[in-house]
């Protein structure tokens, strides 16, 4: 617990950098699910050499940031037997979106297509789904635990989701429905790990009443550390296998899970427990009790 303030500075700097990035860029980079447009998935019979894809002048909606980014710096596609081509929504008279090339068996290639209205509705529903799930978790923690524990769990929960979103933004990845599912999964995983740590802290604080609060918390965290690390490492290996062999469709989902598991484990020890300790000390000082 003596290093918790260094964790506060690290997490605060990361969250601040994410906020600045979102403000400067006008929000995260959304996928076709939320912006509308056409996404073609072309599979070749052999591995093709690396290619560079540029956004066609008629393929993007004027003012669309994703299309503008592609025009400034064409995206490089690594060598693979699968190519994904994205075209933004097209206004009437602005041109036509690329048609899906036919397969050898005569059928069209897999593709996704959506309009800007449908994308806007999905974006709004996705936001409500994220806010609703986080609100339900926070309500449960607030009722289940005392205020000194609930505040740390709430801050750590938002910290994990926000930091994962920030890493996705910094690496230039798009926010899609699968990424949203990953963020919700991270929220559930993070709060579960935090509750396990808090249960042991509550037990140890009752058994070690003569010890300092920081000492009791250190003992409780150390007793749950092996369980936390082993569980997190198992989930990390599963997400890593999906990231390596899951294909392009699951690449962003598995990447978000990798980041979320690492920061979720870190926040359970340093953010949630550290804030709970500071709130505990503050409440005791208001009562005239000297505690550390």
């Amino acid at each position: 617990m003596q290093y918790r303030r260094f964790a506060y500075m690290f997490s605060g700097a990361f969250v601040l950098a994410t906020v600045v990035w979102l403000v400067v860029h006008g929000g995260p980079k959304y996928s076709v699910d939320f912006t509308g447009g056409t996404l073609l998935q072309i599979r070749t019979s052999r591995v093709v050499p690396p290619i560079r894809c540029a956004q066609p002048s008629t393929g993007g909606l004027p003012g669309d940031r994703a299309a503008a980014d592609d025009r400034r710096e064409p995206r490089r596609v690594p060598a693979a037997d699968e190519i994904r081509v994205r075209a933004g929504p097209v206004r009437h008279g602005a041109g036509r979106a690329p048609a899906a090339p036919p397969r050898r068996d005569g059928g069209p290639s897999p593709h996704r297509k959506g309009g800007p209205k449908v994308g806007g509705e999905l974006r709004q529903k996705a936001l409500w789904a994220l806010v609703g799930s986080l609100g339900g978790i926070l309500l449960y923690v607030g009722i289940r635990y005392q205020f000194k524990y609930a505040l740390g769990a709430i801050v750590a929960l938002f910290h994990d989701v926000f930091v994962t979103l920030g890493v996705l933004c910094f690496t230039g990845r798009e926010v899609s429905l699968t990424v949203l599912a990953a963020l919700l999964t991270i929220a559930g995983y993070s709060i579960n790990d935090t509750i396990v740590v808090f249960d042991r802290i509550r037990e140890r604080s009752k058994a070690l009443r003569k010890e300092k609060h920081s000492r009791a918390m250190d003992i409780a965290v150390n007793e749950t550390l092996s369980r936390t690390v082993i569980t997190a490492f198992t989930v990390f290996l599963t997400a890593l296998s999906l990231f390596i062999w899951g294909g392009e469709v699951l690449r962003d989902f598995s990447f978000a899970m990798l980041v979320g598991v690492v920061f979720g484990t870190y926040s359970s020890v340093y953010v949630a427990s550290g804030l709970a300790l500071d709130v505990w000390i503050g409440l005791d000082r208001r009562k005239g009790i000297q505690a550390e």
Side-chain angles (χ1 to χ4, degrees):
M1 289 295 101
Q2 62 178 333
Y3 302 108
R4 65 186 185 278
R5 291 181 176 83
F6 295 101
Y8 295 165
M9 291 187 290
F10 171 75
S11 297
F14 212 111
V15 170
L16 180 61
T18 302
V19 172
V20 172
W21 195 100
L22 293 174
V23 171
V24 171
H25 294 82
K29 186 177 181 180
Y30 294 104
S31 69
V32 176
D33 297 332
F34 299 127
T35 61
T38 303
L39 179 65
L40 303 179
Q41 182 176 332
I42 306 171
R43 177 163 296 177
T44 62
S45 58
R46 60 183 178 84
V47 176
V48 296
I51 61 176
R52 296 180 70 85
C53 299
Q55 181 75 17
S57 59
T58 60
L61 182 66
D64 180 56
R65 189 181 76 255
D69 291 342
D70 287 338
R71 284 196 296 269
R72 283 199 308 268
E73 182 62 33
R75 183 172 63 256
R76 185 174 181 84
V77 180
D81 60 349
E82 185 175 295
I83 303 174
R84 302 177 74 193
V85 181
R86 173 182 174 179
V90 182
R91 288 179 175 176
H92 294 292
R96 298 179 58 190
R103 295 198 309 242
R104 291 184 178 181
D105 57 4
S109 296
H111 67 284
R112 287 153 55 196
K113 187 176 182 180
K117 182 178 180 180
V118 176
E121 292 177 355
L122 284 177
R123 192 186 313 178
Q124 184 179 8
K125 291 180 179 179
L127 178 61
W128 280 112
L130 183 61
V131 173
S133 62
L134 293 179
I137 294 175
L138 299 184
L139 182 62
Y140 163 75
V141 175
I143 296 175
R144 181 67 175 81
Y145 289 93
Q146 301 176 17
F147 173 75
K148 59 186 177 184
Y149 296 115
L151 180 62
I154 290 171
V155 174
L157 181 62
F158 279 101
H159 165 272
D160 298 340
V161 175
F162 204 72
V163 167
T164 303
L165 179 62
V167 175
L168 291 171
C169 294
F170 298 152
T171 55
R173 298 180 180 273
E174 297 178 342
V175 177
S176 61
L177 289 175
T178 55
V179 171
L180 176 64
L183 294 178
L184 295 176
T185 305
I186 291 168
Y189 174 85
S190 174
I191 198 65
N192 175 74
D193 190 35
T194 302
I195 287 176
V196 170
V197 176
F198 279 179
D199 275 338
R200 186 55 60 89
I201 290 176
R202 187 168 53 181
E203 293 174 0
R204 283 306 178 188
S205 63
K206 294 179 180 180
L208 303 174
R209 294 182 178 179
K210 296 182 179 181
E211 295 284 350
K212 293 182 179 180
H213 296 333
S214 58
R215 173 61 179 168
M217 278 199 171
D218 280 337
I219 294 175
V221 170
N222 285 330
E223 289 178 348
T224 59
L225 190 60
S226 59
R227 179 264 179 200
T228 299
V229 172
I230 292 174
T231 303
F233 185 65
T234 304
V235 179
F236 184 87
L237 290 180
T238 304
L240 182 63
S241 63
L242 286 177
F243 182 77
I244 297 175
W245 297 292
E248 189 66 24
V249 176
L250 296 177
R251 189 65 50 82
D252 292 340
F253 172 86
S254 54
F255 180 79
M257 286 297 301
L258 289 173
V259 176
V261 168
V262 172
F263 278 95
T265 305
Y266 149 81
S267 68
S268 297
V269 176
Y270 289 103
V271 178
S273 301
L275 286 175
L277 175 60
D278 287 331
V279 173
W280 196 354
I281 294 175
L283 293 176
D284 283 351
R285 285 178 178 174
R286 289 186 59 181
K287 298 176 183 179
I289 303 174
Q290 295 294 329
E292 292 184 3

